[in-house]
């Protein structure tokens, strides 16, 4: 009995999932995945994309004060009078209260003080233009009452213009997101597509000293390379040719289709030796 033919008992005891393929003498058939030019372009794009994403992740966000509420008014404040305006701030963390005041009349001055949840801040008598900033994180939640007093003036009224603004500290990640978006949508996504397009399963059929390599292209056509030479013609039909020593072997490639799947069967001397894919 030939030693090349395995025992059915040995096959049953082994961990093999199927009976080993027995090829004709001098014939070998194998398949492997290979990455072609299109796929390598995809790999390069993916690498560039990950560089962009990594750089984007390393970028720190920027912060800015965004106005979230505002109040303004103007009036004439008589000698000895006092006006006020109040804000109730429930979430003071990351917020600022800005007060801008313009005063005309007399010495263009005004007394300003602010009652906060943690006590009064007295700025005394200030000259126009007046600019005040309060970090509400420092003074907590509650009512902030801003007083405008002309009590120190005995005879001179003042025309007062006031603009109060509440700001919130916002995070700006547009640069970070933009760089990462460029990496993902302009490099990684097309890179993965090109990688998948350029990754093809290649069948290698060796018949004596002749080596035939085949891969399936779009529309199920077959590209052949014989002994290192790529044929210009892309096969879309069955072919038969001589191969091996003294061209004594017959190689057949048969195209078959099941549903939307096209595959090729490889025969040597009438015996099927493999399929692609």
């Amino acid at each position: 009995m030939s030693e090349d033919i395995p025992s059915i008992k040995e096959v049953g005891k082994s961990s093999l999932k199927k009976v080993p393929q027995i090829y004709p003498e001098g014939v070998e058939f194998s398949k492997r995945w290979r990455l072609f030019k299109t796929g390598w372009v995809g790999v390069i794009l993916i690498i560039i994309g990950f560089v962009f994403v990594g750089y984007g992740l390393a970028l720190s966000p920027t912060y800015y004060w965004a106005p979230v509420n505002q109040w303004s008014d103007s009036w004439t404040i008589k000698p000895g009078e006092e006006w006020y305006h109040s804000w109730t701030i429930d979430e003071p963390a990351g917020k600022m209260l800005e007060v801008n005041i313009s005063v005309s009349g007399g010495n263009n001055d005004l007394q300003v003080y602010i009652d906060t949840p943690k006590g009064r801040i007295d700025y005394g008598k200030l000259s126009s233009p007046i600019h005040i900033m309060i970090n509400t994180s420092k003074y907590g939640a509650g009512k902030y009452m801003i007083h405008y007093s002309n009590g120190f003036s005995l005879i001179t009224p003042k025309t007062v213009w006031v603009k109060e603004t509440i700001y919130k500290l916002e995070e700006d990640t547009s640069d970070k997101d933009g760089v990462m978006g460029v990496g993902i949508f302009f490099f990684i996504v097309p890179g993965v597509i090109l990688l998948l397009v350029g990754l093809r399963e290649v069948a290698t059929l060796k018949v004596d000293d002749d080596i035939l390599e085949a891969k399936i292209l779009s529309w199920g056509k077959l590209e052949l390379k014989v002994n290192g030479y790529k044929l210009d013609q892309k096969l879309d039909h069955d072919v038969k040719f001589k191969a091996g020593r003294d061209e004594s072997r017959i190689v057949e490639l048969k195209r078959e289709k099941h549903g939307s799947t096209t595959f090729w069967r490889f025969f040597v001397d009438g015996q099927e030796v493999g399929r692609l894919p």
Side-chain angles (χ1 to χ4, degrees):
M1 183 178 292
S2 173
E3 295 181 355
D4 295 333
I5 303 176
S7 166
I8 192 170
K9 295 180 181 179
E10 293 177 357
V11 172
K13 294 178 180 179
S14 71
S15 61
L16 295 176
K17 303 300 181 182
K18 60 181 179 178
V19 177
Q21 174 73 48
I22 305 301
Y23 299 116
E25 183 180 354
V27 175
E28 296 179 10
F29 182 86
S30 61
K31 292 189 294 184
R32 62 191 177 97
W33 290 95
R34 285 182 56 187
L35 198 61
F36 292 90
K37 290 181 180 179
T38 302
W40 284 113
V41 172
V43 170
I44 293 172
L45 290 179
I46 291 172
I47 293 173
I48 295 174
F50 274 110
V51 170
F52 271 82
V53 171
Y55 178 69
L57 289 172
L59 289 176
S60 298
T62 57
Y63 296 90
Y64 65 98
W65 292 102
V68 294
N69 207 343
Q70 196 171 80
W71 175 84
S72 62
D73 200 358
S74 62
W75 63 91
T76 298
I77 184 168
K78 297 178 181 180
E81 281 190 342
E82 179 178 297
W83 289 66
Y84 65 88
H85 181 257
S86 65
W87 294 91
T88 299
I89 301 178
D90 296 326
E91 297 179 1
K95 288 184 179 177
M96 296 283 287
L97 171 59
E98 179 185 48
V99 182
N100 286 290
I101 309 167
S102 177
V103 184
S104 63
N107 293 321
N108 300 328
D109 53 3
L110 198 70
Q111 184 179 359
V112 181
Y113 61 92
I114 301 176
D115 290 328
T116 74
K118 290 188 177 180
R120 175 169 292 185
I121 307 173
D122 192 345
Y123 295 95
K125 188 166 62 172
L126 302 173
S127 297
S128 183
I130 301 168
H131 179 253
I132 297 172
M133 292 285 288
I134 297 177
N135 187 343
T136 58
S137 300
K138 180 178 178 181
Y139 297 97
K143 181 175 287 188
Y144 289 75
M145 184 172 291
I146 306 161
H147 296 263
Y148 305 94
S149 175
N150 195 26
F152 60 88
S153 178
L154 299 178
I155 59 174
T156 307
K158 310 286 177 64
T159 299
V160 181
W161 178 86
V162 174
K163 182 179 180 181
E164 300 172 4
T165 307
I166 301 292
Y167 292 92
K168 183 179 180 181
L169 188 63
E170 297 284 359
E171 183 179 83
D172 182 6
T173 61
S174 56
D175 290 342
K176 183 186 188 81
D177 297 338
V179 173
M180 293 177 63
V182 168
I184 294 172
F185 295 108
F186 288 91
F187 292 101
I188 294 180
V189 171
V192 170
I193 293 173
L194 291 176
L195 175 62
L196 295 176
V197 170
L199 185 63
R200 298 293 180 90
E201 192 174 21
V202 177
T204 301
L205 174 62
K206 183 176 180 181
V207 181
D208 296 334
D209 295 330
D210 289 328
I211 299 176
L212 179 149
E213 291 183 347
K215 69 174 180 178
I216 296 179
L217 304 176
S218 57
W219 309 109
K221 292 185 178 181
L222 197 69
E223 181 181 273
L224 290 181
K225 184 184 288 187
V226 180
N227 295 329
Y229 176 77
K230 185 169 68 174
L231 304 185
D232 293 332
Q233 183 182 7
K234 307 299 186 292
L235 302 179
D236 59 0
H237 58 277
D238 297 353
V239 293
K240 181 188 296 186
F241 49 87
K242 296 178 181 179
R245 297 186 188 92
D246 303 323
E247 297 186 339
S248 59
R249 317 294 291 270
I250 302 298
V251 175
E252 296 179 81
L253 305 181
K254 295 184 178 182
R255 188 176 188 264
E256 295 191 10
K257 190 171 183 179
H258 287 291
S260 60
T261 302
T262 299
F263 65 93
W264 290 80
R265 300 170 67 191
F266 294 73
F267 295 83
V268 177
D269 296 334
Q271 179 179 336
E272 183 175 353
V273 295
R275 298 185 181 191
L276 184 68

